[in-house]
Amino acid sequence: MSSHLLHRQFPPSFVWGVATSSFQIEGAPHADGKGESIWDRFCRQPGAIADASNGDIACDHFHRLDSDLDLIASLGVNCYRFSIAWPRVQALGHGDFNPKGLNFYERLVDGLLRRGIQAFATLNHWDLPQGLQDRGGWNDRDTVHRFVDYARHVQARLGDRLDGLTTHNEPWVVAVLGHEQGSFAPGIKSRRTAMQVCHHLLLSHGLAMQALRADGATAELGIVLNLTSSVPATAMPADIAAAQRADARSRRWYADPLFKGCYPEEVLAELGADAPVVQPGDMGSIAQPMDYLGVNYYTRTVISAGGEAWDAKGRGLPVSDMDWEIYPQGLADLLVLLHRDYPGLPPVYVTENGGAFKDQAVVNGRVQDDDRIDYLRGHIAAVASAMQQGVPMAGYMVWSLMDNFEWASGYLKRFGIVHVDYDTQVRTPKASADWYRDFLKDWRG
Ligand code: IFM
């Protein structure tokens, strides 16, 4: 479908945004008494980050807030999704809150509202205060309560001006990459720990939802999951069963507790002694009604019973610079599956979707990233298709506003629709930014 017709598939109420996160763009690690985060610490471990970089400067967004807000407004989006760095608000994650810490986010939110843009804030996009990690981090049940206090503190100051408030971004990443594989902060390698961390993240989500509501929340409240569509490599029964197991581990392990109040039995059985300790009442606390579900989708996962990796690139299938297969149909399939599995599914935002590509250098003020335009157009069409199949879609947000610190890949991968020159901090909207702006202009009519 051409972009010209595609925009007509979306109602006037649809939310269109761009997304970022604090550690990936802000820099200013010590400004106004900010504390150390687990990512500040992790970046200093030799070999942890592909280009040995860190988040000390990143996109210097902290010092370029006003011009970055103008940049966001210039795209014509009606929403900006960002995250709040917990160690800015409470240096250690326990004890005193830092009254200066929220000034930056207050300026951010007020600046968005002045420009007619909705503010969608995330409380935890992975940069946990190191002071909490020193006490056991997400593996320690007390962190759950510290998170609830932090959530309430943020809401008390900003809640009246936020349109959306997300508890956690991608609990799978924190649990599995951070605590099982150890490739992300805090770099722990224990499945047992990972599963307990996961439970504590979900529990803190549920308890924070309850507390925020009790305090009179006006923003929409929800959580963001990174999900994939798990498909069997062949029609062989063994591959189909393996894909179902993968789906249970990667999708249902997170969504079942949120929407059904229980972990999938087959995953609990598979985990055995590594299953998390769940206290009486926890599952009920987790399963709070949500105003929305955020879904981050980048690629599908193809599963075979033998466990062989699916080499999309080797098979000549399109891949991004992360070597993730580009498969928009997987987004539609995933959204339809969520709608089928969870009756009463709340409105769904695609809170992240986008591609890293080896962009050409800036030539005459242009970066011609046609592959990213194709990626975005294909996935927006998949959202339209899901909507036609009855999924209550509410919005779509591009990952990312601008090139930024891509975690263990450092600055080597570029996801932005705006190019960042890290030597000069000059921002150059890519062709994909122009495409998105034009698309939104057509949609507004
Ligand atoms: O950059 C990340 C983001 O922080 C979380 N979701 C996936 C993106 C791309 O890897």
Side-chain angles (χ1 to χ4, degrees):
M1 184 185 301
S2 77
S3 316
H4 181 64
L5 295 176
L6 183 56
H7 69 267
R8 293 203 205 149
Q9 310 288 314
F10 296 91
S13 59
F14 208 73
V15 170
W16 295 101
V18 282
T20 62
S21 87
S22 48
F23 192 81
Q24 293 179 275
I25 64 167
E26 285 178 3
H30 308 296
D32 297 329
K34 176 181 176 291
E36 187 186 19
S37 81
I38 57 172
W39 272 93
D40 291 308
R41 180 73 62 95
F42 186 69
C43 287
R44 281 164 176 82
Q45 284 184 22
I49 310 297
D51 57 0
S53 63
N54 55 53
D56 284 1
I57 298 176
C59 303
D60 198 29
H61 172 68
F62 186 86
H63 297 114
R64 292 163 196 267
L65 179 61
D66 290 322
S67 50
D68 282 344
L69 287 172
D70 287 342
L71 179 65
I72 295 166
S74 76
L75 298 171
V77 294
N78 55 21
C79 168
Y80 176 53
R81 174 174 179 253
F82 62 97
S83 80
I84 294 174
W86 186 349
R88 279 199 199 286
V89 177
Q90 190 181 29
L92 296 173
H94 56 86
D96 291 342
F97 285 97
N98 175 2
K100 289 190 192 158
L102 277 168
N103 290 354
F104 172 72
Y105 299 105
E106 186 154 63
R107 279 178 52 217
L108 168 50
V109 170
D110 289 346
L112 289 171
L113 298 191
R114 260 199 313 280
R115 291 166 175 83
I117 299 170
Q118 297 184 27
F120 266 61
T122 300
L123 291 163
N124 171 31
H125 198 122
W126 312 347
D127 40 1
L128 184 78
Q130 180 64 38
L132 281 181
Q133 191 60 44
D134 294 342
R135 295 175 160 204
W138 285 111
N139 190 39
D140 182 350
R141 197 172 165 103
D142 185 57
T143 299
V144 170
H145 303 292
R146 302 286 67 75
F147 179 76
V148 175
D149 286 353
Y150 156 62
R152 295 183 66 199
H153 185 80
V154 170
Q155 176 171 270
R157 176 90 173 264
L158 298 180
D160 58 335
R161 284 155 286 165
L162 292 176
D163 293 277
L165 186 55
T166 295
T167 53
H168 299 293
N169 181 70
E170 304 186 350
W172 178 90
V173 169
V174 177
V176 177
L177 299 188
H179 295 83
E180 183 174 349
Q181 299 179 11
S183 53
F184 276 24
I188 290 167
K189 292 186 183 163
S190 154
R191 185 170 78 159
R192 168 82 195 79
T193 306
M195 293 303 112
Q196 194 63 52
V197 161
C198 187
H199 180 65
H200 288 157
L201 287 166
L202 293 173
L203 180 62
S204 66
H205 155 82
L207 293 178
M209 296 279 295
Q210 280 181 323
L212 294 172
R213 289 235 162 87
D215 288 351
T218 50
E220 292 180 6
L221 305 180
I223 193 170
V224 167
L225 303 179
N226 58 309
L227 299 174
T228 179
S229 82
S230 301
V231 288
T234 71
M236 302 280 286
D239 286 343
I240 293 172
Q244 280 168 351
R245 282 196 302 276
D247 181 54
R249 280 193 300 264
S250 66
R251 180 179 65 94
R252 291 181 42 227
W253 179 260
Y254 301 86
D256 280 12
L258 292 165
F259 294 115
K260 296 181 172 173
C262 58
Y263 286 114
E265 285 298 335
E266 63 269 45
V267 183
L268 285 173
E270 191 181 306
L271 287 172
D274 287 344
V277 173
V278 176
Q279 294 189 7
D282 283 2
M283 300 313 294
S285 298
I286 292 172
Q288 295 304 308
M290 286 194 278
D291 298 318
Y292 65 89
L293 173 68
V295 172
N296 294 352
Y297 173 87
Y298 290 89
T299 188
R300 68 169 172 173
T301 311
V302 182
I303 307 287
S304 58
E308 306 88 21
W310 173 255
D311 180 9
K313 198 174 177 177
R315 288 167 185 266
L317 298 169
V319 295
S320 73
D321 193 28
M322 303 296 279
D323 283 345
W324 298 344
E325 184 182 349
I326 299 171
Y327 192 73
Q329 180 63 41
L331 175 55
D333 295 346
L334 168 67
L335 294 167
V336 168
L337 187 64
L338 289 168
H339 187 227
R340 186 203 71 187
D341 279 3
Y342 305 109
L345 186 72
V348 178
Y349 295 95
V350 172
T351 32
E352 282 181 29
N353 176 245
F357 293 100
K358 285 197 195 311
D359 297 325
Q360 299 160 2
V362 179
V363 181
N364 296 331
R366 288 214 44 96
V367 178
Q368 196 58 44
D369 57 340
D370 294 321
D371 30 19
R372 186 172 287 103
I373 295 175
D374 288 347
Y375 185 103
L376 297 177
R377 186 193 289 119
H379 286 82
I380 291 172
V383 173
S385 157
M387 217 160 51
Q388 277 156 16
Q389 295 174 70
V391 186
M393 297 307 304
Y396 172 91
M397 304 173 199
V398 173
W399 185 271
S400 179
L401 164 66
M402 57 186 158
D403 297 333
N404 57 49
F405 177 79
E406 178 52 26
W407 307 110
S409 304
Y411 297 97
L412 300 178
K413 305 293 178 190
R414 291 179 177 270
F415 272 92
I417 57 172
V418 173
H419 177 274
V420 176
D421 179 326
Y422 294 114
D423 294 328
T424 61
Q425 292 294 344
V426 168
R427 279 85 159 118
T428 306
K430 303 177 190 178
S432 55
D434 297 341
W435 176 84
Y436 196 36
R437 183 191 299 114
D438 290 347
F439 171 80
L440 295 179
K441 205 154 133 201
D442 287 344
W443 166 76
R444 274 194 306 273

